[in-house]
Amino acid sequence: MSPWLEKQRHLIDFTLASLARRKTRNLGLLLVYTLLVFVLASLTLFSNALRTEAQYVLAGSPEVILQRMVAGRHDLIPPGYLDKIGRIRGVQKKEGRLWGYYYDPVLNANYTFMARPASEVADGMIMVGEALARERGLAKNNTISFRSYSGKLFTFEVAAVLSPDAELLSADLVLLAEGDFRRFFEYPEGHYTDIALSVANPQEVRNVAAKLTAALPDSRPILREEVQRTYQSIFDWREGIMLTVLAGAILAFAILAWEKAAGLSAEEKREIGILKAIGWETGDVIRMKVWEGLLISLTAFLLGFLTAYVHVFHFGAAIFEPVLKGWSVLYPKFALVPAIDGLQVATLFFFTVFPYTAAVLVPIWRAAITDPDAVMR
Amino acid sequence: MIELSNIRKAFNQGQSNEYWALHGIDLAIEAGKVTAFRGPSGSGKTTLLTIVGCLSRPTSGRVRFKGEDISALPERFLTDIRRQSFGFVFQQFNLIKGLSALENVILPAFPTGRPRAKLVAAATELFERLQLAHRLQARVEWLSGGEQQRVAIARALINDPEVIIADEPTANLDTALSKEFMAILERFTEAGKTVLLTSHDPLVVESSAVHRVVGMRDGRLTGE
């Protein structure tokens, strides 16, 4: 091994021995620091995973949704609108959709009812989301009755419970046949809630939207990319709220860590004097302290990040879940797919490891440039 | 081997509490001999040793080590010379608590980048020579005063320096341990090392192990 490497090894050996000598102080520091990284990493990992999840789920939704507006409010699509759209170049498929909200007084929760073609759901049957099934204790072949807004009672048989994989979007969903939907909500024949359009080429989406606005001036096209952006903003906003709420605690931890790192005891100053007197250069002392700072901050970063990873992806971010997922009666249960953004990790690394190392270095530099003859006096 | 010419040293120079610790010291120190500086507290003995041992620089005057002027060298070179050529035994021993005797002894050699196995072998040999082999792994705060001093001596020798500097080496030792230290001192000269020490202990300055005694008072030499 080259003398330079051997020297670094000696410095690390000495640093580890020094850390072990001040166990309580350094373990306390490591704990506070790890906690700080854990909180920040949990927030970024969870928000990022949710954003990725939303993007992944929305990837299967239609590129354009067309809604009709009356007096600035969403209204039903009247008969003939689908034909008015005609043939727009780039549109692969157009389909009138039927959906609405139903308030269930049993759970005090809102469900989303959506009509599906007869090939998917037969008359008198429904398919329900996993969260809804869980809360109402439903399983396949059970029956359930809903009282419609007009006061009539409708009884359905559960054909299936929807796959938990899509629970983020289908937690409160009830799928039923078109005829049942129209009867339940007394929805006028030929009317639809909105129109979904599939566009193959993503670069064509804006052109299609422009043509739709021209053909149907009283309607508004909603693009998938806009929905995705809205989701991003919502999660950014929630992350921001969480950070604001935690700012005080994070700052307190940061100050504590800084204080602990920057404070140099009389004993440590004396040791630096001894090391210089017995032949260590100022640079050796500083290098030794850099190793100390790096060892503590890297360990804290790795521990904090790994704990955050386990917390988010194995325990569903139990601590921050209510704030970051949103508020609802029917909470979807879903396992997040691990998604790590390299830039976020790098930013977190930079803002946790570097300030600590700097905090360690400044007082050491001051102590290390003092004359070594102090130990003789 | 070491020549001092017109060495002056001031502390807090230019401030209201300016203090001159040395006033023009001229001295030549022979190689392979034990030279003791005797004088009351505040006479400038320790300050003179720090200048000779490259721990500090004189305010004015020249220090020559083996013919080379080292008084104006930058810190880095001074540290190199200090590490290679001088070994220190401090009055309070200045061992690092919480570390073993062995770890303390090999510390001065860390910046040299010598392999750890060689350092441990050299330190073990020194411990054996100083009859301290059984305390190799003991933490220094568990050692007696005499044992701590022997650890400090081993640490001073680990880089095999030509000059040993000892500041009041027997100040914290009883008579028996002081005599033991003087015996170790004789072995140094047998090995060809130069020893500089400060003391006002008659046991040291009147010992046959000491070849030369230089008197000091108020920052000046008072004769031999």
Side-chain angles (χ1 to χ4, degrees):
Chain A
M1 202 185 284
S2 80
W4 185 89
L5 278 177
E6 197 71 54
K7 184 172 160 178
Q8 301 308 311
R9 211 186 118 187
H10 289 323
L11 291 179
I12 293 172
D13 280 350
F14 181 70
T15 305
L16 288 172
S18 290
L19 289 172
R21 279 185 299 141
R22 299 184 185 93
K23 250 191 232 104
T24 320
R25 173 188 181 265
N26 289 316
L27 278 179
L29 193 53
L30 191 68
L31 192 76
V32 168
Y33 204 9
T34 305
L35 201 64
L36 193 68
V37 176
F38 166 77
V39 170
L40 292 173
S42 290
L43 272 176
T44 48
L45 281 177
F46 190 58
S47 304
N48 187 49
L50 275 184
R51 274 191 286 263
T52 315
E53 189 87 9
Q55 214 156 0
Y56 174 71
V57 171
L58 286 170
S61 68
E63 282 77 13
V64 184
I65 291 167
L66 192 74
Q67 290 181 337
R68 183 173 173 243
M69 307 297 288
V70 171
R73 307 283 297 173
H74 176 200
D75 198 43
L76 301 188
I77 303 275
Y81 255 53
L82 266 174
D83 302 328
K84 267 198 208 171
I85 293 173
R87 287 182 59 85
I88 295 178
R89 193 193 291 271
V91 174
Q92 273 186 324
K93 200 174 107 188
K94 53 182 196 267
E95 174 193 25
R97 301 197 308 180
L98 284 170
W99 57 271
Y101 295 125
Y102 173 76
Y103 176 73
D104 180 8
V106 178
L107 285 185
N108 289 328
N110 271 306
Y111 305 154
T112 306
F113 274 50
M114 195 168 200
R116 296 306 298 158
S119 58
E120 289 180 29
V121 189
D123 271 349
M125 307 294 268
I126 55 170
M127 287 160 123
V128 292
E130 172 87 7
L132 194 157
R134 202 167 45 236
E135 295 297 320
R136 290 288 310 244
L138 292 176
K140 195 178 171 186
N141 300 331
N142 287 170
T143 53
I144 184 169
S145 299
F146 295 117
R147 190 173 293 281
S148 77
Y149 290 128
S150 59
K152 287 183 209 155
L153 201 65
F154 287 82
T155 302
F156 299 101
E157 187 185 334
V158 178
V161 175
L162 293 166
S163 158
D165 293 346
E167 202 179 332
L168 184 61
L169 290 188
S170 68
D172 62 351
L173 194 63
V174 177
L175 298 179
L176 66 172
E178 185 178 336
D180 283 342
F181 184 92
R182 289 190 188 278
R183 278 190 293 281
F184 187 75
F185 287 109
E186 293 181 0
Y187 220 87
E189 206 54 46
H191 284 70
Y192 289 100
T193 314
D194 54 24
I195 297 171
L197 295 107
S198 300
V199 180
N201 182 358
Q203 290 178 337
E204 277 292 308
V205 172
R206 291 204 168 267
N207 291 337
V208 169
K211 283 178 191 165
L212 284 171
T213 317
L216 302 165
D218 62 346
S219 61
R220 79 171 167 194
I222 299 167
L223 309 186
R224 187 173 66 193
E225 60 186 79
E226 286 171 355
V227 179
Q228 278 172 342
R229 217 166 34 233
T230 310
Y231 270 96
Q232 299 278 353
S233 310
I234 286 172
F235 290 128
D236 282 348
W237 174 75
R238 283 187 183 152
E239 192 180 8
I241 285 195
M242 198 70 195
L243 272 176
T244 313
V245 171
L246 289 174
I250 291 172
L251 196 67
F253 280 144
I255 290 171
L256 185 69
W258 178 278
E259 271 287 304
K260 287 264 183 197
L264 206 58
S265 65
E267 182 68 18
E268 282 176 288
K269 279 185 194 153
R270 186 181 150 265
E271 283 180 15
I272 290 170
I274 296 173
L275 292 175
K276 287 198 73 177
I278 61 173
W280 284 41
E281 283 173 30
T282 305
D284 295 329
V285 175
I286 291 175
R287 266 188 287 277
M288 183 262 288
K289 281 289 166 181
V290 169
W291 278 118
E292 186 180 314
L294 279 175
L295 283 173
I296 288 196
S297 53
L298 275 177
T299 310
F301 180 80
L302 288 176
L303 279 180
F305 198 84
L306 284 178
T307 329
Y309 187 93
V310 173
H311 169 228
V312 170
F313 297 118
H314 291 272
F315 294 102
I319 300 174
F320 306 119
E321 190 185 30
V323 182
L324 289 174
K325 264 194 194 170
W327 294 265
S328 176
V329 176
L330 294 178
Y331 266 121
K333 265 194 190 165
F334 58 96
L336 288 166
V337 178
I340 296 174
D341 180 357
L343 185 68
Q344 268 183 341
V345 178
T347 311
L348 190 64
F349 180 82
F350 186 82
F351 282 103
T352 48
V353 172
F354 276 79
Y356 184 85
T357 312
V360 170
L361 272 187
V362 173
I364 286 298
W365 177 76
R366 273 205 214 114
I369 54 166
T370 51
D371 282 336
D373 64 329
V375 289
M376 291 277 268
R377 285 190 233 126
Chain B
M1 184 190 208
I2 302 166
E3 291 162 60
L4 307 173
S5 43
N6 199 21
I7 295 294
R8 287 161 58 81
K9 177 74 178 178
F11 291 103
N12 307 319
Q13 202 178 11
Q15 293 171 32
S16 58
N17 57 347
E18 180 177 291
Y19 170 70
W20 284 89
L22 297 173
H23 301 270
I25 303 282
D26 292 296
L27 188 69
I29 295 161
E30 257 184 279
K33 304 279 182 196
V34 178
T35 306
F37 293 90
R38 177 174 56 185
S41 288
S43 58
K45 309 183 297 283
T46 301
T47 306
L48 189 64
L49 280 195
T50 62
I51 290 173
V52 173
C54 301
L55 284 170
S56 68
R57 293 191 191 87
T59 308
S60 67
R62 301 232 170 271
V63 182
R64 282 195 179 78
F65 179 64
K66 296 199 286 191
E68 189 193 349
D69 187 352
I70 57 167
S71 35
L73 286 178
E75 194 219 313
R76 220 181 133 202
F77 295 99
L78 224 48
T79 308
D80 271 347
I81 295 174
R82 182 164 75 239
R83 186 169 52 230
Q84 285 163 17
S85 308
F86 295 92
F88 296 87
V89 180
F90 304 103
Q91 185 178 349
Q92 304 295 337
F93 311 138
N94 281 337
L95 300 171
I96 293 187
K97 283 183 201 155
L99 294 183
S100 68
L102 175 72
E103 290 293 333
N104 263 282
V105 168
I106 61 178
L107 266 183
F110 280 2
T112 63
R114 277 155 67 195
R116 188 179 169 87
K118 282 190 180 166
L119 292 181
V120 172
T124 310
E125 197 196 320
L126 284 170
F127 274 95
E128 276 163 10
R129 265 162 52 195
L130 293 164
Q131 286 151 10
L132 205 62
H134 61 294
R135 304 297 265 161
L136 204 67
Q137 298 299 341
R139 283 163 70 150
V140 287
E141 60 269 32
W142 300 341
L143 303 177
S144 69
E147 287 173 333
Q148 285 192 16
Q149 192 191 44
R150 277 181 282 164
V151 172
I153 292 169
R155 183 178 67 182
L157 294 171
I158 191 72
N159 285 337
D160 195 22
E162 294 153 83
V163 185
I164 307 289
I165 291 180
D167 186 27
E168 301 282 359
T170 58
N172 293 307
L173 303 180
D174 61 21
T175 309
L177 288 172
S178 299
K179 281 183 178 164
E180 207 175 285
F181 174 76
M182 297 315 290
I184 293 170
L185 215 58
E186 282 182 340
R187 277 188 263 153
F188 286 168
T189 39
E190 280 165 20
K193 303 217 182 279
T194 306
V195 180
L196 298 176
L197 55 90
T198 65
S199 184
H200 39 239
D201 182 354
L203 200 82
V204 174
V205 290
E206 289 164 15
S207 155
S208 60
V210 174
H211 301 108
R212 183 184 179 195
V213 178
V214 178
M216 284 189 79
R217 183 173 285 273
D218 302 327
R220 291 183 172 86
L221 300 183
T222 56
E224 298 183 27

